[in-house]
Amino acid sequence: MTIREIITVPNPILRKKARKVTEFGKEFQTLVDDMVETMRNAPGVGLAAPQVAISERLIVVEYADEVEGEEVKPKLFIVANPEITPTSDETELGIEGCLSVPDLIGEVERFTSLTVKGQNRHGKPVRIKAEGWLARIFQHEIDHLDGIVYTDRTDKVWKPRSEDEIPLD
Ligand code: NI
């Protein structure tokens, strides 16, 4: 596995609509493994293929729901060709950062509850229900596949003080 370089704005690859994944062969498996390693190394809770300069519809997400006083094992999601369906009209504001937009965080409105449909690393259908912070991460990552970065969705962006840094992807 290799840690790949994470590109940052204004790299035009981050602004392209990524193409559908149709081949789940060896090259794709290497990309998946490299993205997981790159996300963990960053560290981040998610990464989209365009962030490593590959304009394909693939995201990886690794996140542990916080349960007070308990250690929760992070869950890894690998989704090709992900599509979101909100399961409620409810939205909430939350603070996001992005590995491709260094030294900034911002407040973004997102759906609180949704279903992600797509394919796993072998091309088999997957369906994931997500709420709260996990739902936010999926919305942030899938935006990257459409050339959208979170700063497009808010006017409230600022430089974090070191103690309120929020790594996202
Ligand atoms: Ni991002």
Side-chain angles (χ1 to χ4, degrees), residues 45-160:
V45 293
L47 195 67
Q51 293 184 276
V52 293
I54 303 292
S55 194
E56 292 187 15
R57 304 189 78 79
L58 169 67
I59 60 168
V60 297
V61 170
E62 189 167 52
Y63 175 67
D65 261 320
E66 279 174 38
V67 178
E68 219 172 305
E70 267 182 63
E71 205 165 300
V72 182
K73 200 166 174 266
K75 207 170 171 199
L76 177 65
F77 301 93
I78 293 161
V79 192
N81 305 318
E83 281 174 31
I84 280 175
T85 308
T87 45
S88 148
D89 290 334
E90 194 191 325
T91 61
E92 65 185 357
L93 290 168
I95 310 290
E96 299 184 14
C98 180
L99 296 170
S100 295
V101 188
D103 303 324
L104 284 180
I105 55 175
E107 190 176 50
V108 188
E109 187 169 14
R110 299 287 191 186
F111 289 107
T112 57
S113 167
L114 53 82
T115 304
V116 181
K117 279 168 79 173
Q119 289 161 277
N120 70 9
R121 66 185 296 162
H122 305 295
K124 299 276 183 283
V126 287
R127 188 189 170 92
I128 301 152
K129 285 187 171 183
E131 292 187 351
W133 198 255
L134 183 61
R136 175 173 297 276
I137 298 166
F138 276 116
Q139 288 167 90
H140 179 117
E141 300 311 331
I142 291 167
D143 269 355
H144 277 300
L145 307 182
D146 294 319
I148 298 166
V149 293
Y150 80 89
T151 50
D152 300 342
R153 295 198 180 276
T154 180
D155 295 325
K156 288 187 188 165
V157 175
W158 65 93
K159 275 186 179 294

